[in-house]
Amino acid sequence: MPYIYDNQNIFAKILRGEISCSKVLETKYSLAFHDINPAAPKHVLVIPKGAYVTYDHFAQTANDAEIIDFVKAIGQVCKILQVEPAQDGGGFRAISNAGEAGLQEVPHLHVHILGGRNLGPMLSKSQ
Ligand code: AMP
C-alpha cells in the first residue's frame, strides 16, 4: 500500500514554522526538538524535513543525502544530550513508532531519543 503523507500533521506544521518547537539541532535535511510531553529526563525527537510517514518509508524512498544527514543528526543529538554510553551514567534508547501496531501518534517519521535515567524494559509483556 502506498504511503499517503498528511501535510496537516503537527510536525509538518513545525517544519513550516506554523507551530513553534524547542529546537535542539537543525541540519540541511533534519530537525531535532524536545518532546512536548517528555517520558524521560532527556527526550528529543529527530525528524527528517522531507515528507516521510515512517522509518521504513524513509529508508525505502529517501535519497542518500537525506539518509546520511538524518543518521548523523541522531548521532549529534546524542552528543548534545550527553547520553553517549561512553559517558558516566550515559546510554539512551532510540525508538521509532510506526503505524497502528506501533501506536504512532504523529504520521511524520520521528525517532525518539530518550535518556537521563534507567529506561526499564523495552516493552511491556502484558500487551
Ligand atoms: P509517537 O507516538 O511515536 O507518534 O510520538 C509522538 C510524540 O510527539 C509524543 O511523544 C508527543 O509528546 C510528541 N509531540 C506531539 N506534539 C508535539 C509538539 N508540538 N512538540 C513536540 N512534541 C510533540
Side-chain angles (χ1 to χ4, degrees):
M1 198 166 77
Y3 284 97
I4 298 167
Y5 183 80
D6 170 15
N7 67 9
Q8 290 307 309
N9 79 75
I10 196 121
F11 295 167
K13 290 180 180 178
I14 286 174
L15 285 167
R16 290 195 294 268
E18 296 166 10
I19 290 177
S20 63
C21 70
S22 174
K23 193 189 294 185
V24 172
L25 175 76
E26 182 165 10
T27 64
K28 188 171 181 185
Y29 296 113
S30 308
L31 179 68
F33 50 90
H34 291 283
D35 195 293
I36 203 165
N37 186 21
K42 300 177 182 187
H43 187 173
V44 166
L45 302 172
V46 188
I47 68 173
K49 291 182 176 175
Y52 301 103
V53 182
T54 56
Y55 189 94
D56 55 298
H57 184 208
F58 180 72
Q60 290 165 18
T61 60
N63 66 42
D64 289 357
E66 291 174 297
I67 291 171
I68 290 167
D69 184 283
F70 188 63
V71 172
K72 284 179 175 278
I74 290 171
Q76 278 181 269
V77 166
C78 291
K79 193 167 193 169
I80 292 166
L81 294 179
Q82 297 184 298
V83 295
E84 292 161 296
Q87 307 203 25
D88 275 352
F92 65 91
R93 187 167 292 153
I95 300 173
S96 189
N97 298 317
E100 194 179 332
L103 298 185
Q104 181 178 10
E105 289 172 24
V106 180
H108 182 112
L109 167 60
H110 48 285
V111 172
H112 297 254
I113 304 295
L114 298 135
R117 67 168 167 82
N118 184 312
L119 296 165
M122 189 169 74
L123 284 177
S124 159
K125 287 187 178 164
S126 61
Q127 292 179 340

